[in-house]
Amino acid sequence: MAAGSPSLAAEKKHWWLSNRKVVDKYLREARSLIATQELSNVAAAVGLLDATLVHSPRLEAALELRARSLLFLRRFREVADMLQDYIPSYKVGGGGGIDDSSSSLGVAGDRSSVASSAPLSRERVNLLSPGRERSDGDRSFRCFSVSDLKRRLMVGLSKRSDREGQWRYLVLGQACCHLGMMEDAMVLLQTARRLASAAFRRESVGQSDDSFASFAGEDGGMAAPPPSELESASQLLSHIKLILRRRAAAVAALDAGLPAEAVRHFSKVLDSRRGLPGSFAASCLIGRAAAYRATGRLAEAIADCNRALSVDPSSIPALRSRADLFEAVRALPDCLHDLEHLKLLYDAILRDRKLLGPPWRPHRDLRYRDIPANLRAVIARIQRLRGRIAAGEGNNVDYYALIGVPRGCSRPELERAQLLLTLKHKPEKAVAFVDRLDFTDDHRDLEAIRDQARMSASILYRMLQKGYASIMTSVMDEEAAEKQRAKEAATAAIAAIQATEKPPKTERNEGGKECGMGTDKAAAATAASVFQGVFCRDMAVVGSMLSHRAIPVKYEALSC
């Protein structure tokens, strides 16, 4: 019995040591694979890190390597799922607060960077506890100062936790930017920069001047992000701030009743040099469609809704906007199709008891408690449209409102409007717009997105061509009627002039017969009018014409 106890203890010790060795081995292999910077090797490293986290779920090094590897592989959804408790707009359990000490990952290394009693919100994020930055009023040198030693000791203890919590905000901020969550990305990147600055200040205070060094991880802990990564994050933060300012200016202009100004600001955002994420571009397209509708450019508004739906087919605001636009131009079958699609989305939300998309994605214009009322309104609207289509209003499209020309427009106005719309809404341009967006993390096939954009743009293009042919037929009929009215007016004027003229006088000759002197004078006048502009270079012909005094000839004809 005494011999069995040592063997059991040895077996337990050997199991613990083997588990630790396996974890260390996986980490070494994962680091070596990540160092190659090849996609296949990094994907294999992610598998090793998953196995590592099975053995040690709270290992900070494995968590950081996995998050950075997923960011390198552009699997941003998995990064957001992994660190969703750190997203500012994400609310857990309906309480609206996020506590880092009770994270879903079980990571307790970031408690010092986030106050446990202060919830994270979109408006204000309290990421540094009140006691983190203490100002030392007495900066004189003291040989044996207990307070100075305590401060240096606390700086050394908090160094590791600062470095452990800093990478979360940096990696998650970049992932949120690629996912289109620009406000969250701005807050997270600002937080990472604040943590880096605070850690640098504590490092400089905790060390002497001759031992002043950067974040190199001398204590064996996690090293701070390199300066190049912080610089790229700062550039990304500047870009995010710029596009958010432009979008805020566009929304403010639209609310102030300046749709042309809103269109200009939204176009600047959408024509950005950097590729915009698909979801953020879809929201900007919906806003620009509303501005186009306010200016009366319905065709361009429909084109923006088509692009938004090709990017995100389940976008409820885009479907509602396009349905309203189709009803405005009296394209009732297309409006009915969009409303039926919208009804299916509402049914899916009520069936699943949650909004579409992942739980951490914010929905600004949609709330779950409004879905039943919206569904009833959509059903009633569908019934009304079916009644109108049954009454024969389905093919009565208002092409004047679609193209944007007034009724009774001229041919040049119609041709100019049609030329501009044709050049702008070609199906190839819609595909080129899709190619400028960022769909690296979308689970849909990129070719399917292109096909959807091309198909919707082709439908709008054919509608514009049909409208142009219809309006041109009306313009040509109006021109023909105008010509006929002008001809009839000219004929009536000639008849009136002939009726008001006096009859020619008649004279009697020696034989007592009447001769029409007026007729001879009229014939002479006609001949004069006929040969008034004769120009000839043959002198013999000119001489013969001069010999006939009945044919008047201008003498300028002789100057040849």
Side-chain angles (χ1 to χ4, degrees):
M1 189 68 181
S5 298
S7 63
L8 183 59
E11 183 180 357
K12 288 183 179 181
K13 186 175 181 181
H14 182 268
W15 172 83
W16 184 83
L17 289 176
S18 62
N19 192 8
R20 181 65 178 271
K21 289 181 179 179
V22 167
V23 169
D24 293 340
K25 178 184 177 182
Y26 285 166
L27 283 178
R28 286 194 303 269
E29 292 179 357
R31 286 194 179 97
S32 62
L33 290 173
I34 292 172
T36 60
Q37 299 293 319
E38 295 182 2
L39 296 178
S40 58
N41 292 339
V42 176
V46 171
L48 290 175
L49 294 171
D50 291 338
T52 303
L53 291 174
V54 170
H55 292 286
S56 180
R58 298 188 180 187
L59 186 59
E60 188 74 13
L63 289 171
E64 181 179 0
L65 287 176
R66 185 177 187 275
R68 292 185 181 276
S69 301
L70 293 175
L71 186 66
F72 178 79
L73 295 173
R74 306 185 71 82
R75 291 157 61 174
F76 306 115
R77 288 179 182 266
E78 297 184 22
V79 176
D81 291 333
M82 177 181 175
L83 303 173
Q84 62 182 358
D85 287 348
Y86 293 87
I87 298 177
S89 62
Y90 180 58
K91 295 178 175 57
V92 180
I98 299 177
D99 189 2
D100 287 348
S101 62
S102 59
S103 173
S104 62
L105 296 176
V107 180
D110 198 36
R111 296 178 184 176
S112 60
S113 63
V114 181
S116 60
S117 61
L120 291 177
S121 62
R122 185 187 299 273
E123 291 80 8
R124 184 175 184 271
V125 183
N126 187 9
L127 290 163
L128 292 176
S129 60
R132 291 297 302 277
E133 299 181 5
R134 289 191 291 268
S135 60
D136 191 3
D138 186 8
R139 296 187 178 276
S140 60
F141 178 76
R142 297 180 182 179
C143 296
F144 299 101
S145 174
V146 178
S147 61
D148 186 63
L149 291 176
K150 182 187 292 187
R151 178 168 51 83
R152 290 174 182 269
L153 180 60
M154 294 304 297
V155 166
L157 291 177
S158 62
K159 185 191 305 182
R160 183 181 180 88
S161 63
D162 292 337
R163 295 174 181 177
E164 288 176 353
Q166 184 178 345
W167 64 267
R168 287 178 172 81
Y169 302 102
L170 186 62
V171 173
L172 186 57
Q174 299 179 43
C176 288
C177 177
H178 288 283
L179 290 173
M181 303 165 62
M182 295 299 180
E183 294 87 353
D184 295 330
M186 182 180 67
V187 172
L188 290 167
L189 292 177
Q190 286 178 341
T191 303
R193 189 169 64 179
R194 288 176 58 188
L195 289 176
S197 301
F200 182 79
R201 287 194 299 269
R202 284 189 299 272
E203 185 88 3
S204 61
V205 170
Q207 295 181 358
S208 60
D209 294 336
D210 54 353
S211 64
F212 184 78
S214 62
F215 307 105
E218 297 88 350
D219 56 348
M222 298 299 298
S228 60
E229 186 177 4
L230 293 175
E231 183 179 358
S232 62
S234 299
Q235 295 176 358
L236 182 61
L237 179 60
S238 301
H239 172 68
I240 292 172
K241 288 181 178 179
L242 176 62
I243 61 176
L244 286 180
R245 282 197 300 267
R246 286 179 174 174
R247 190 183 69 173
V251 173
L254 187 59
D255 294 338
L258 301 173
E261 191 72 12
V263 168
R264 186 174 68 86
H265 286 295
F266 276 124
S267 300
K268 283 185 177 181
V269 174
L270 292 169
D271 297 337
S272 177
R273 293 183 179 180
R274 286 197 178 191
L276 289 178
S279 57
F280 184 79
S283 64
C284 292
L285 285 169
I286 295 170
R288 194 172 70 172
Y292 275 139
R293 184 180 181 182
T295 58
R297 300 159 67 177
L298 300 184
E300 297 181 358
I302 294 174
D304 280 345
C305 290
N306 289 339
R307 292 173 180 177
L309 287 171
S310 63
V311 171
D312 186 8
S314 61
S315 177
I316 292 178
L319 276 173
R320 289 188 299 197
S321 300
R322 194 172 69 172
D324 295 338
L325 290 168
F326 279 142
E327 189 173 8
V329 299
R330 295 202 297 267
L332 301 185
D334 297 326
C335 178
L336 182 62
H337 180 270
D338 285 344
L339 291 178
E340 289 176 348
H341 189 187
L342 191 61
K343 178 179 175 296
L344 291 177
L345 292 178
Y346 284 152
D347 290 336
I349 292 174
L350 292 177
R351 182 188 66 243
D352 299 337
R353 295 184 179 180
K354 67 181 185 67
L355 296 175
L356 299 174
W360 39 261
R361 184 181 294 278
H363 296 272
R364 298 181 182 86
D365 302 331
L366 191 63
R367 293 178 298 182
Y368 181 78
R369 62 174 176 268
D370 298 335
I371 298 299
N374 294 340
L375 180 59
R376 290 192 295 269
V378 167
I379 292 174
R381 191 174 174 185
I382 288 173
Q383 293 176 355
R384 289 197 302 269
L385 284 178
R386 286 176 178 173
R388 293 177 62 183
I389 293 173
E393 299 182 18
N395 297 323
N396 190 16
V397 182
D398 188 3
Y399 292 114
Y400 289 95
L402 179 64
I403 297 179
V405 292
R407 294 185 180 274
C409 63
S410 61
R411 185 193 292 258
E413 293 177 353
L414 176 62
E415 290 177 350
R416 181 177 180 276
Q418 176 64 17
L419 178 62
L420 293 176
L421 291 176
T422 301
L423 293 177
K424 192 171 183 179
H425 300 297
K426 285 186 177 180
E428 293 79 10
K429 287 196 173 183
V431 176
F433 172 78
V434 171
D435 292 336
R436 292 200 305 267
L437 299 180
D438 185 8
F439 294 102
T440 53
D441 196 57
D442 203 306
H443 296 287
R444 297 173 58 204
D445 186 11
L446 188 59
E447 193 62 32
I449 299 175
R450 292 196 186 100
D451 293 341
Q452 179 68 25
R454 187 183 297 108
M455 183 180 64
S456 58
S458 300
I459 292 174
L460 178 61
Y461 188 79
R462 287 196 296 268
M463 187 182 295
L464 291 174
Q465 296 298 326
K466 186 177 179 181
Y468 172 73
S470 176
I471 298 176
M472 182 57 73
T473 302
S474 302
V475 170
M476 293 176 65
D477 294 342
E478 184 64 27
E479 290 179 353
E482 186 67 25
K483 289 181 180 179
Q484 184 66 26
R485 287 194 295 269
K487 185 177 180 180
E488 292 176 356
T491 304
I494 293 174
I497 292 173
Q498 291 178 356
T500 56
E501 287 182 354
K502 296 181 179 180
K505 296 180 179 180
T506 58
E507 298 181 359
R508 293 182 180 274
N509 56 6
E510 297 178 356
K513 295 182 180 179
E514 296 180 356
C515 61
M517 296 298 294
T519 306
D520 295 339
K521 292 179 180 180
T526 304
S529 65
V530 171
F531 294 97
Q532 187 73 23
V534 172
F535 179 83
C536 185
R537 294 180 181 273
D538 193 351
M539 301 301 296
V541 175
V542 172
S544 63
M545 292 174 65
L546 290 174
S547 63
H548 296 80
R549 295 183 181 276
I551 304 176
V553 178
K554 280 190 175 183
Y555 290 97
E556 287 84 2
L558 297 178
S559 61
C560 50

